[in-house]
Amino acid sequence: MRECIQSHSLSFNLHLSPPNPLFHKTKQFCRIKASTKSPPKFPRKRRRNPHSLPFFPSPVPSSLPLHSKNPQAIYKDIQTFARQNKLKQALAILDYVDQQGIPVNPTTFSSLLAACVRTKSLADGRQIHAYIRTNGLENNEFLRAKLAHMYTSCGSIEDAQRVFHGCTSNNAYSWNALLRGNVVLGKKRYLDVLSTFCEMRSLDVGLNDSMLKTGLIGLYFKCGKIKLAQRVFEEIPDRDIVLWGAMIAGFAHNRMRREALNYTRWMINEGIYPNSVVLTMILPVIGEVWARKIGQEVHAYVVKAKGYSKQLAIKSVLPVCARLRALNHGMEIHAYAVKNCFFPNVSIVTSLMIMYSKCGVLDYSLKLFNGLEARNVISWTAMIESYAECGCLHEAIGVFRSMQLSKHRPDSVVMARMFDICSELKAVKLGREIHGQVLKKNFESVPSVSAEMIKMYGACGLISTAKLVFDAVRVKGPMTRTAIIEAHGYNDLFEDAISLFHRMIYDGFAPNHFTFKVVLSIC
């Protein structure tokens, strides 16, 4: 240490003192001595000024340089931050690997774009798009579709259209993302949907006919156009399990339980056996109509098939736990699902949400809902149902409002449930607002919607409006007739209610157990 200090002081004095012969000899001696040693391979690190260090620590993990030669470890770090929606940290690592010249794979970029969709971070999405260009992946069809979805989800159709500028790919999936974005944004974008579709066809982009028709069936069911959905289905000669599933799901979601069971029988007679998705849809229907014998047949089929049976068993048992208010058993099933990595299965999560709400543990339902990365109409409906089940009706309305702002628009089932909530709160103003949305989407032809609408006006004391809605229904079945009887009962018009009950029987409509319940309460 002392020698080192002396050498530094010698060097310092040599540079400051005037030139003399001794200086030249010392310099020449140093050159000779230096030539006898091999030059160092790495330059000596300069000592950084502590005042120049950043005040805040870097978001890049300190362990990252240690595995810079292992890209998979880096990808894992980025994807972990992306799943947690920590885009700042993920982008810091992405900037580091870009400076180091380490390539990034498409899967990592996909997870980052998904985080941008969830957080609606358009600026971060554009930055990630720039990194995709840097990595030479801009023409990757998989990422092209993800970019289009990200831009449309963040409200920038213009950026999504630029993704396709000069595109020569005939891949339908990326174009579908652009079409979907225009549809989701709604407003005045419907003409853009048609123009994009025409451009897609002009470039000879192939269409997936089966997917298109399945989507059309789902669209008709959501709009309450049951006969149109059946007509499309009957026009398709080669029906696969996906197509049959779309029909069964449509009937089940519109509470047409007998039709759902009939189509399941028809499917099996055609030689197509139900998979786990179809069984998941049909089991609650079997329970609702008390078809014990059919349920036993399905149970035997599941035991014999053995494949997807664990998940199916969970989905079957959870409604039973909900009905029995068996919280402890439900929590055990929840733990079993987590242990067997059945998450994030939206069907299992929504069943758990309903179970917890019926058992009075609303906090768990809310946590499960907030933890869902990919929500669908069923999960939104389950959250509304969970709040309503626990009597938190104003909170249920709040979820309904949030759903309206999301990419998932309320369907006929949600509308019917909201009318029921308005009935309990006597919220006629909100009921009229939803009535306008029903007329706009042509949901008034759905029996459950028209029935709940009639009951809502009756519960709010507007019996004349309830009569107008009832008279406007073209096909008046047992559900709507029971609703108008109940509406008269709400307003103490008991004789008129009984008269409507007799008229219902006279017109040849058999009363169901709901009808008898209403009439007996009036009596």
Side-chain angles (χ1 to χ4, degrees), residues 3-149:
E3 292 175 357
C4 181
I5 294 171
Q6 289 176 350
S7 64
H8 278 291
S9 62
L10 176 62
S11 175
F12 180 78
N13 292 329
L14 287 173
H15 282 287
L16 291 180
S17 58
N20 56 51
L22 180 62
F23 167 75
H24 290 293
K25 287 182 181 180
T26 306
K27 189 175 181 182
Q28 185 177 6
F29 171 75
C30 290
R31 284 177 180 171
I32 295 170
K33 188 174 181 181
S35 63
T36 59
K37 292 185 178 181
S38 58
K41 293 183 180 180
F42 299 100
R44 179 181 294 178
K45 288 186 177 180
R46 296 175 60 187
R47 296 182 65 183
R48 296 183 65 182
N49 184 354
H51 297 290
S52 66
L53 293 173
F55 184 77
F56 294 102
S58 172
V60 178
S62 58
S63 61
L64 188 60
L66 298 178
H67 56 239
S68 61
K69 294 183 179 180
N70 183 6
Q72 295 299 328
I74 299 176
Y75 302 158
K76 187 176 180 181
D77 284 339
I78 297 174
Q79 291 170 18
T80 299
F81 281 128
R83 281 193 297 272
Q84 298 170 352
N85 294 335
K86 296 179 179 178
L87 282 169
K88 183 181 290 185
Q89 291 88 331
L91 287 171
I93 300 176
L94 199 61
D95 183 59
Y96 171 82
V97 297
D98 183 63
Q99 292 176 7
Q100 298 296 318
I102 302 170
V104 180
N105 62 0
T107 306
T108 303
F109 281 123
S110 174
S111 64
L112 288 167
L113 292 172
C116 292
V117 171
R118 290 192 297 271
T119 58
K120 299 292 185 287
S121 304
L122 180 60
D124 291 333
R126 284 174 175 158
Q127 189 175 346
I128 293 164
H129 190 176
Y131 283 118
I132 289 172
R133 289 195 198 98
T134 305
N135 281 262
L137 296 172
E138 191 174 17
N139 293 323
N140 183 290
E141 293 175 353
F142 170 71
L143 287 179
R144 188 188 295 277
K146 293 291 183 181
L147 281 166
H149 177 52

Side-chain angles (χ1 to χ4, degrees), residues 299-512:
H299 187 183
Y301 173 77
V302 170
V303 172
K304 186 178 179 181
K306 288 185 180 178
Y308 40 82
S309 56
K310 289 182 180 179
Q311 291 194 35
L312 187 58
I314 288 174
K315 296 169 190 174
S316 307
V317 173
L318 282 173
V320 178
C321 294
R323 183 170 294 181
L324 297 176
R325 306 294 193 269
L327 178 59
N328 290 335
H329 290 300
M331 294 179 75
E332 288 174 4
I333 294 169
H334 187 175
Y336 179 81
V338 172
K339 184 179 178 181
N340 286 271
C341 302
F342 291 158
F343 282 71
N345 184 304
V346 179
S347 180
I348 291 179
V349 171
T350 51
S351 297
L352 282 167
M353 287 168 61
I354 297 297
M355 184 275 295
Y356 280 125
S357 64
K358 285 188 178 292
C359 293
V361 190
L362 184 59
D363 289 345
Y364 283 13
S365 299
L366 187 59
K367 285 179 181 178
L368 286 166
F369 180 73
N370 290 334
L372 276 174
E373 293 184 3
R375 295 171 183 168
N376 58 13
V377 176
I378 297 173
S379 59
W380 281 102
T381 307
M383 193 63 243
I384 293 171
E385 186 67 35
S386 296
Y387 273 125
E389 183 69 31
C390 294
C392 302
L393 303 183
H394 292 287
E395 288 80 0
I397 293 172
V399 176
F400 174 72
R401 294 296 192 198
S402 299
M403 184 182 184
Q404 289 179 308
L405 297 173
S406 73
K407 63 181 180 181
H408 299 293
R409 297 295 181 264
D411 62 358
S412 59
V413 177
V414 176
M415 295 296 194
R417 191 67 178 99
M418 290 307 300
F419 279 129
D420 184 45
I421 291 170
C422 291
S423 297
E424 294 189 47
L425 291 174
K426 304 293 188 291
V428 67
K429 185 177 180 181
L430 176 61
R432 282 175 169 159
E433 179 188 328
I434 298 172
H435 186 174
Q437 296 174 21
V438 165
L439 294 175
K440 187 177 180 181
K441 296 183 178 181
N442 297 320
F443 284 161
E444 69 274 13
S445 59
V446 180
S448 60
V449 174
S450 58
E452 292 295 342
M453 199 189 312
I454 292 166
K455 288 196 292 183
M456 183 273 297
Y457 282 120
C460 294
L462 302 174
I463 188 62
S464 58
T465 309
K467 288 180 180 178
L468 288 173
V469 174
F470 177 75
D471 292 337
V473 176
R474 294 180 182 178
V475 181
K476 299 176 178 67
M479 195 177 290
T480 50
R481 289 175 184 270
T482 303
I484 194 65
I485 293 171
E486 191 171 1
H488 279 79
Y490 283 141
N491 291 272
D492 298 336
L493 300 171
F494 304 126
E495 291 183 3
D496 292 339
I498 298 300
S499 175
L500 286 167
F501 173 68
H502 289 303
R503 180 61 185 267
M504 176 181 177
I505 297 173
Y506 179 79
D507 289 341
F509 293 95
N512 55 28

